Amino acid sequence: MIKVAVFMGSASDEDLMKPCAEILAKLGIEYLFTVTSAHRTPERTERLVTELEAQGCQVFICAAGMAAHLAGAVAARTTKPVLGVPLAASPLSGMDALFATVQMPPGFPVGTLALDKAGARNAAWMAAQILALSDSGLAQRLKDERAGFIAAVEKAAVTVEENDTARRAKNKGQ
Ligand code: RP5
């Protein structure tokens, strides 16, 4: 059963949003990764939200650039959590998409993540955290992934400290 829907406003958004799909797949979350536009295909967007929600979809991730109304349009049609990823797709460097995504009227929230790939990744992690509220197996997988992040930082700290020690020894010997 599809638990997370990832909507992009255009196929040109696919590259920026691929990391989102990769994380959902890694966590074993069933998802749909597709294109639908608030402006170009409003009927398709509405139909997808209605059908996916009826099938049990729990979280909607919406990514768009420019006048990024996709997340808002989805939030207007569901009370499931909607996460928005603003994309830098115009000469305004994503500020247009950020403002369009984040400034929702009261009662129709869009949980807005960072721009571009950083937001794409965190939208997947946030969706997983939402699903993990009622899925203990997924909650454990998230804890395991956190342990991996911690181990990576600790390993990097050892390497950086060793590099510094070596540099100091070299400078002393000169
Ligand atoms: C938005 O306009 C899309 O999400 C995309 O980021 C941007 C440009 O779309 P294309 O003209 O490349 O289809 O709706």
Side-chain angles (χ1 to χ4, degrees):
M1 182 202 299
I2 291 168
K3 290 286 176 66
V4 177
V6 183
F7 294 164
M8 292 160 284
S10 168
S12 63
D13 301 326
E14 185 181 5
D15 189 48
L16 287 174
M17 287 306 292
K18 263 191 280 186
C20 178
E22 286 163 5
I23 290 165
L24 293 172
K26 179 179 175 181
L27 291 170
I29 294 169
E30 283 196 47
Y31 65 90
L32 173 69
F33 188 71
T34 192
V35 174
T36 191
S37 167
H39 306 123
R40 292 163 172 159
T41 61
E43 293 85 5
R44 172 177 161 76
T45 301
E46 182 161 28
R47 180 173 52 76
L48 278 171
V49 173
T50 306
E51 288 178 3
L52 287 163
E53 192 172 337
Q55 291 162 21
C57 182
Q58 296 294 307
V59 183
F60 291 86
I61 296 173
C62 301
M66 300 178 74
H69 298 137
L70 183 56
V74 171
R77 287 168 175 81
T78 182
T79 52
K80 300 292 183 198
V82 178
L83 304 178
V85 183
L87 304 177
S90 83
L92 296 179
S93 305
M95 291 301 279
D96 42 2
L98 173 61
F99 290 156
T101 304
V102 78
Q103 290 289 11
M104 287 295 291
F108 297 81
V110 168
T112 304
L113 284 304
L115 284 155
D116 293 349
K117 287 188 178 178
R121 293 190 183 96
N122 267 352
W125 291 115
M126 183 65 80
Q129 288 179 340
I130 292 167
L131 295 176
L133 291 171
S134 56
D135 181 337
S136 57
L138 178 57
Q140 187 55 53
R141 294 203 288 287
L142 283 173
K143 284 186 181 147
D144 294 345
E145 291 293 332
R146 278 282 169 102
F149 283 126
I150 292 165
V153 171
E154 281 168 357
K155 192 175 166 204
V158 170
T159 304
V160 168
E161 288 171 23
E162 284 173 356
N163 290 345
D164 183 59
T165 303
R167 260 194 315 273
R168 284 197 224 190
K170 193 176 165 203
N171 291 344
K172 219 175 184 179
Q174 283 173 353

